[in-house]
Each structure stands twice: as C-alpha cells, then as structure tokens.
Amino acid sequence: MSHTSARPTLQVRPGALTLDELQALHRGQVTMRIDPSAQAGIATSAAVVQQAAAGDEAVYGVNTGFGKLASTRIAADDLAALQRNLIRSHSVGVGVPMTAAVVRLMLALKVASLARGHSGVRPVVIERLVAAYNAGLVPCIPSQGSVGASGDLAPLSHLTLALMGEGECLNATGARIPAADALAQHGLTPLTLEAKEGLALINGTQASTALALHALFTFEPVLESALVVGALTVDAARGSDGPFDPRIHALRGQPGQIDVAQYYRWLLAGSAIRQSHLHGDDRVQDPYCLRCQPQVVGACLDQLRHAALVLLREANAVTDNPLVFADGALVSGGNFHAEPVALAADAMAVAIAEVGAIAERRIAMLIDPVVSRLPAFLTPNAGLNSGFMIAHVTAASLASENKSLAHPASVDSLPTSANQEDHVSMATFAARRLGPMIDNVAGIIGIELLAAAQGIDFLRPLQSSVALERVYATLRAEVPFVAEDRYLAPDIERAMALVRRGLLADVRGDLPGVPELWVAT
C-alpha cells in the first residue's frame, strides 16, 4: 500500500488549475481531490450518455464503432465489450516508457478534463483515476505511437489498460510488472468501462500536453542557470554592462528582453572586475553573444511564457469527443486535435535551441584569446595543454544537434484511419523531442560554467559581484581550477547537475527584491 498522508491535498477545481498547481502535481508533491462543486455536472453528463446508450438513435462513440467504423452500429449487449476492445486495440505504443513525472501529469490532466462534466463518464471512473494518482501508480506508457489527433490514442490507451488491470505498470525501481499486480499492491480494483467511457479516456491531448508541460518545468531552472552563467561570462571576458541599461530595452518594449536585462544588471552589480576596466579599455563594443543576451534570451523567454499560457489553457480544457451537454446533446467535434500543443512545443523547441546556441558562442569567445584576451583555450600552458578546446567541440556538437531537433514537427502530417483522420498535429513528438534538447542545453551551459569560472580565475585577485562569486564558489566546491589537462567529462557532468538544479536559487538571497523569472499565470 502507498502512504499519502505526508503530502498536502490539492483540491482540483476543473477548468481552474494554475501552473503552480500543475507543477506540484508533476512533482508528486500533493494528493488530489475533486472540488465537490464538480459532482453535479459529472453526474448529469453520465446520465445523458446512459440515456443515449439505452436509446435507438446511433450516437458516435456510444453505440457505434470508431473512426472510419463510425457508421457501424453496435448492439446494446456489446457496448461494454466495445469499450474494452477499444482500449486493447489502441494500446499499440512502442519505445521507452514515459517517466513517472509525465505519467503523473497525464493522470492529473485526464482527471481535470473529465471532471468538467462534458465527457459522460460515471463518477467512479474519475475516482479511480484520482486513486491511481494518489497511490503513485505508474502505468507503463510507451513514448511513441501518437500523431496528436483523435487524441493521444495509444499513450492514453496504455494508461487506461493498466487501470483495467491489463498491460503493465512500473514499480519504484522502474521495472515492469503486471498491471493487475500493481493494482493489487495499491489496493485498487480494476476498472470496468461502460458506454463511451473508453473513448472519453483515450480521446484528448493529455499525453502531448503532459510532455510539453514536463519540458516547460524541466527547462525553467536550466534557463535561469543560462542567465547566471551568461552574466559570469560577461565578467570573465571583461565585458561591458552598458548594453543592459534599462533605457535601451524600454525603447524596444519587449517584456522578456526588459526582464532579462534587469537580471543581468542585478547579477553584475558591484563587480570589481567591471570597475577595473571602466576606463582605458580600447574595446568599443562587445561581441553579440555578450551584449545581445537580453535581445536573444529575452525573446526566447517571451516564447516560453506564451507557450506556458497555451499549455495552461490546454491543461484546463475538455478535449475528448463527442462532448456532452446538460441539455442532452452529444456533439461531435475535433477538440482532440492537438495543434495548439504542437505549435507551442515547436516554439519552445526554437527558444530552447537558441538559448543553447548563444551560449555555445560565448564558450567560443572565451577560448579565443583575440576576443576574450584570456589565455588561449583557457589553459596556462597552451600547446602542452589543450585546455577547453575539445570541451567547446562538445558544446558545438550539442548546439548543432539542437538545430536539427528544432525543425517544426507541426508542419508534418500523415493521414491515418483510412483518411478519416487526414490531418494530424504531431504534437506528441513535438513535445517529446524537447527533453533531449533540454539535456543538450544543460550540457552547453555546464561547459560554459566551467569555462567562465576558469576565466574568472585568470583575473584574480579581482572579484566579481557578490551573487556571481557565490556561483563561482558553488562550482569550485565541486570542480577545481583546470591547471593542466585532466579527465574533464566528470567535471562537465557535475557542472550540468548544477545547471539542471538551477543556479539562480543559489543567489536569490544576494539579490533582494528579485522577482521570479517565470510567469506562472
């Protein structure tokens, strides 16, 4: 049995989830319960479906086949078998299982959608989903097999199959076990589906939305680290803080750019390194990778904030089909088409790639003595030592890989279901590919962190700002100065771990009054 008493309870108000609440659900920090105000709508929509199932009129998804088979009428005695067969036949995913965090979000998002009271499922269906989330049940959901239209059919079928006591789940160690055994271990009873319920569970965008939200939450600390490390690089290269003057950014008016410039001013404030070259420096302007950071990363931040709003709307949406209304109508439509998620994920991909791309350019600048005026390849004895020469090559390879991964997935479409579903979104892949891209950016920023700290060492005894010296000390507690060539891969891994954790959290105490970078709306 799972123990949930240590976690606070989040009362889910269908249609009103916030990003903060979604992040808590994603992390498994809370248990769920449905706001009692939702119960009347759930019961009303279930009654509408039950009445349709008992009637003579053909109603899609209730007493007909699915997709191209929508014109095939199903006898009343076969309606339960229809739903069961639907789940079994659609559980056709391949690839590595989705992570526990993504599966948690899928469960939570499906609960939130069904509880809006427009899907026609019985209250017990939603209760079983809530119980599965609260118990920590992790259905084994292959990560490939959805085109993001007619819903995320295969992933959501694998989720539902496990609730039925079929298929597999993942245990605490990540090993696959029979779903029936997992249900029994958690004291859960297998779910038996009635009319329309299987369709309601697998129609919808909850897999692609969960994957995209997972990427959003995962990238947040990496993006914050990119700002901190970018500021450290400015000081390591003895760059100017003039390009961060608020008057410049106010004239353009782009909110992300304004906010990023403000962060750089905060991070660099009080740097003795900056004071040391205010006068007598013959350089007129810094390279773009230094002075255009607000313009580039700020634009990326705006894209990510917009994506967050789109995904928040989708997390609160009803996206199955047909939809049920209190007046007794069952209306077929296309809310399961995940184009909003696909376009948001594609925008995220470009933004993620650009954060890494400009960071790679900063590493290239640091190792170039002509531009940075630091020792070649950041080593005291270049020639005998290669220093950061090949670490930069690794960063370049990661940045180049992200260029290919950033190609928009939403512009592709292959017709499926005998041309019934003739345009699809590819949202699930669009969101899934963000994970490897974020890993690549964490690698680039980790290498930049090592390089920037190495550059700061060459400027001693001058000190950077209080905030950036804390970042430097955090790294040096893990990774010493590279005095001569050594095995650098473990150093990169340690730096990447700091980047993924989020370096901004380490310095907030040194930056009084600094707001959160992320806009949780």
Side-chain angles (χ1 to χ4, degrees):
M1 294 288 290
S2 293
H3 300 283
T4 59
S5 58
R7 292 182 286 163
T9 297
L10 172 64
Q11 183 158 289
V12 175
R13 294 169 296 127
L17 282 167
T18 67
L19 275 180
D20 284 343
E21 289 172 338
L22 288 168
Q23 195 158 24
L25 290 163
H26 168 259
R27 291 172 176 165
Q29 295 173 327
V30 295
T31 59
M32 298 178 69
R33 71 182 295 266
I34 298 297
D35 191 298
S37 63
Q39 298 303 327
I42 294 169
T44 298
S45 72
V48 169
V49 167
Q50 288 159 11
Q51 183 176 2
D56 296 327
E57 185 178 348
V59 180
Y60 174 71
V62 176
N63 52 20
T64 71
F66 308 104
K68 195 71 172 180
L69 301 174
S71 59
T72 303
R73 184 67 183 269
I74 307 300
D77 290 345
D78 292 330
L79 294 186
L82 173 71
Q83 300 300 313
R84 184 170 61 250
N85 289 344
L86 173 71
I87 303 305
R88 289 171 174 169
S89 67
H90 285 50
S91 296
V92 292
V94 299
V96 299
M98 293 185 184
T99 65
V102 172
V103 175
R104 280 194 295 267
L105 261 184
M106 286 177 64
L107 279 165
L109 295 180
K110 183 53 77 174
V111 166
S113 178
L114 298 179
R116 289 282 301 271
H118 291 281
S119 300
V121 303
R122 294 166 297 148
V124 67
V125 174
I126 301 173
E127 291 165 7
R128 293 291 176 81
L129 287 166
V130 170
Y133 177 91
N134 290 343
L137 188 78
V138 182
C140 182
I141 303 175
S143 55
Q144 295 171 273
S146 174
V147 295
S150 257
D152 290 313
L153 295 173
L156 290 168
S157 292
H158 282 277
L159 183 148
T160 305
L161 191 71
L163 297 179
M164 292 165 51
E166 302 181 31
E168 295 176 311
C169 288
L170 303 179
N171 66 15
T173 66
R176 301 186 184 200
I177 61 173
D181 293 347
L183 291 176
Q185 289 170 13
H186 292 295
L188 301 175
T189 305
L191 178 63
T192 300
L193 301 174
E194 295 189 1
K196 191 187 177 295
E197 290 176 343
L199 188 62
L201 284 163
I202 70 171
N203 262 181
T205 63
Q206 286 77 33
S208 51
T209 304
L211 285 163
L213 284 168
H214 175 69
L216 191 75
F217 298 147
T218 303
F219 191 58
E220 180 177 358
V222 175
L223 176 63
E224 292 184 343
S225 292
L227 295 183
V228 175
V229 176
L232 191 66
T233 296
V234 170
D235 248 9
R238 285 168 288 188
S240 173
D241 57 358
F244 311 132
D245 188 310
R247 294 171 294 183
I248 295 172
H249 308 288
L251 285 173
R252 195 174 204 183
Q254 297 289 358
Q257 177 179 327
I258 291 168
D259 290 348
V260 168
Q262 176 72 79
Y263 264 86
Y264 279 106
R265 291 196 300 276
W266 278 320
L267 288 163
L268 289 160
S271 168
I273 295 174
R274 175 58 183 139
Q275 292 299 316
S276 73
H277 62 96
L278 271 173
H279 307 289
D281 193 329
D282 62 352
R283 295 173 297 177
V284 177
Q285 290 185 325
D286 292 328
Y288 289 1
C289 67
L290 294 182
R291 64 181 159 114
C292 293
Q293 289 184 79
Q295 288 80 2
V296 174
V297 182
C300 295
L301 178 60
D302 281 334
Q303 289 297 311
L304 292 163
R305 287 172 170 175
H306 173 71
L309 291 173
V310 172
L311 295 175
L312 181 60
R313 286 194 290 263
E314 195 72 5
N316 283 297
V318 182
T319 56
D320 61 287
N321 179 65
L323 297 179
V324 183
F325 295 90
D327 61 3
L330 281 93
V331 183
S332 288
N335 275 3
F336 48 65
H337 199 295
E339 193 77 1
V341 180
L343 292 174
D346 282 345
M348 289 172 65
V350 173
I352 289 165
E354 281 293 270
V355 171
I358 194 170
E360 181 275 327
R361 289 291 81 205
R362 293 195 296 266
I363 301 167
M365 178 273 304
L366 284 172
I367 65 173
D368 183 346
V370 175
V371 183
S372 69
R373 303 188 181 185
L374 294 166
F377 300 108
L378 300 173
T379 182
N381 191 2
L384 177 62
N385 294 295
S386 296
F388 281 77
M389 180 190 296
I390 307 304
H392 167 251
V393 172
T394 296
S397 76
L398 297 175
S400 186
E401 195 173 293
N402 272 358
K403 292 176 186 177
S404 294
L405 288 171
H407 184 279
S410 57
V411 298
D412 184 37
S413 175
L414 280 175
T416 60
S417 193
N419 282 312
Q420 174 76 6
E421 295 150 11
D422 56 357
H423 181 277
V424 299
S425 72
M426 297 308 300
T428 319
F429 168 66
R432 178 169 55 84
R433 64 66 143 89
L434 298 176
M437 295 185 71
I438 294 168
D439 289 340
N440 289 343
V441 174
I444 297 168
I445 302 298
I447 292 169
E448 184 191 0
L449 174 58
L450 294 171
Q454 188 85 352
I456 293 292
D457 280 316
F458 287 118
L459 304 180
R460 294 305 191 205
L462 291 172
Q463 296 281 302
S464 186
S465 68
V466 171
L468 294 179
E469 285 293 339
R470 186 182 294 274
V471 172
Y472 169 89
T474 298
L475 176 69
R476 284 288 175 254
E478 300 273 343
V479 179
F481 175 73
V482 185
E484 57 185 18
D485 284 351
R486 66 169 185 256
Y487 180 28
L488 276 181
D491 294 352
I492 294 171
E493 285 293 332
R494 284 189 281 269
M496 288 174 65
L498 294 175
V499 167
R500 289 191 182 101
R501 191 192 73 201
L503 289 164
L504 200 56
D506 291 343
V507 300
R508 282 198 186 278
D510 300 315
L511 304 171
V514 175
E516 294 289 333
L517 180 68
W518 216 246
V519 177
T521 302

